[in-house]
Each structure stands twice: as C-alpha cells, then as structure tokens.
Amino acid sequence: KEIIYVMSNPTIPDLLKIGYTGKPVEDRCKELSRATGVPVPFKVEYIFRIHGRGEELEREIHRYLEHKRNSNRREFFDVSLQEAIDAINKVGEKYT
C-alpha cells in the first residue's frame, strides 16, 4: 500500500504537511517527529490509500495546491484540513 497523508504540528501553525509514503504512516510520522528542531510530534490528520503511483499522485497534488504552498517548506501548505482532503480526493480520483 502507498499512502498520501496530511499531518499537522502545533509548532507550525496554519500549515499542513501533505506527503507520500510507501511504509506505515505511523512510521513516517515518527521519522518526521524525531527530526532535529521538531519539539512536538506530528499528528496524522488524514490518510488516502492507493495501489501504485503514489509519488506521481503526490507531485500532482502539490502542483494542484502550488498557490497555497509555503515558500520555505516544500511539502507544507497554508490550507485547512478540509481543503487538503478535498484536493487529495479530487486529484486522487483518477488513481483509484
């Protein structure tokens, strides 16, 4: 299984991380939370599961939300959770 995820972190208010992983999302969350400079763990907010082409879907979602991207953070977007979910579901329709 491949996963597109949305994560939040209270130390990065108003931004959501939208990314891809081919491993359990909990493992990815732990990896990100262990990074130097991250004082509070990330929280998984949403999971979209697909079979194959996860990296391609991630790129397409990022392009779709480009106008909401935080310029300093590649996978961080200034969107509400619902906006992120809607974008993932809309772009992801053709991947399911």
Side-chain angles (χ1 to χ4, degrees):
K1 292 251 183 204
E2 295 180 79
I3 295 171
I4 299 295
Y5 58 80
V6 178
M7 292 187 198
S8 65
N9 190 298
T11 63
I12 311 169
D14 302 321
L15 294 178
L16 294 175
K17 181 175 185 354
I18 302 172
Y20 154 82
T21 187
K23 56 184 138 188
V25 72
E26 296 80 13
D27 292 350
R28 180 67 178 133
C29 187
K30 287 176 187 173
E31 279 179 5
L32 292 168
S33 296
R34 281 193 302 259
T36 302
V38 180
V40 178
F42 278 85
K43 176 184 175 190
V44 177
E45 299 285 355
Y46 182 71
I47 296 171
F48 185 87
R49 296 178 197 280
I50 59 172
H51 296 282
R53 298 176 38 206
E55 290 179 37
E56 182 182 338
L57 175 55
E58 177 195 44
R59 283 190 301 274
E60 195 169 336
I61 292 165
H62 288 180
R63 278 192 300 270
Y64 183 82
L65 291 172
E66 184 65 36
H67 64 288
K68 298 284 190 161
R69 187 187 301 259
N70 178 290
S71 61
N72 298 326
R73 299 172 193 260
R74 289 181 23 169
E75 293 187 344
F76 286 85
F77 298 86
D78 186 7
V79 293
S80 69
L81 179 57
Q82 190 60 55
E83 286 175 299
I85 291 169
D86 290 347
I88 292 166
N89 287 325
K90 179 179 172 89
V91 176
E93 281 178 353
K94 61 185 173 189
Y95 288 82
T96 57

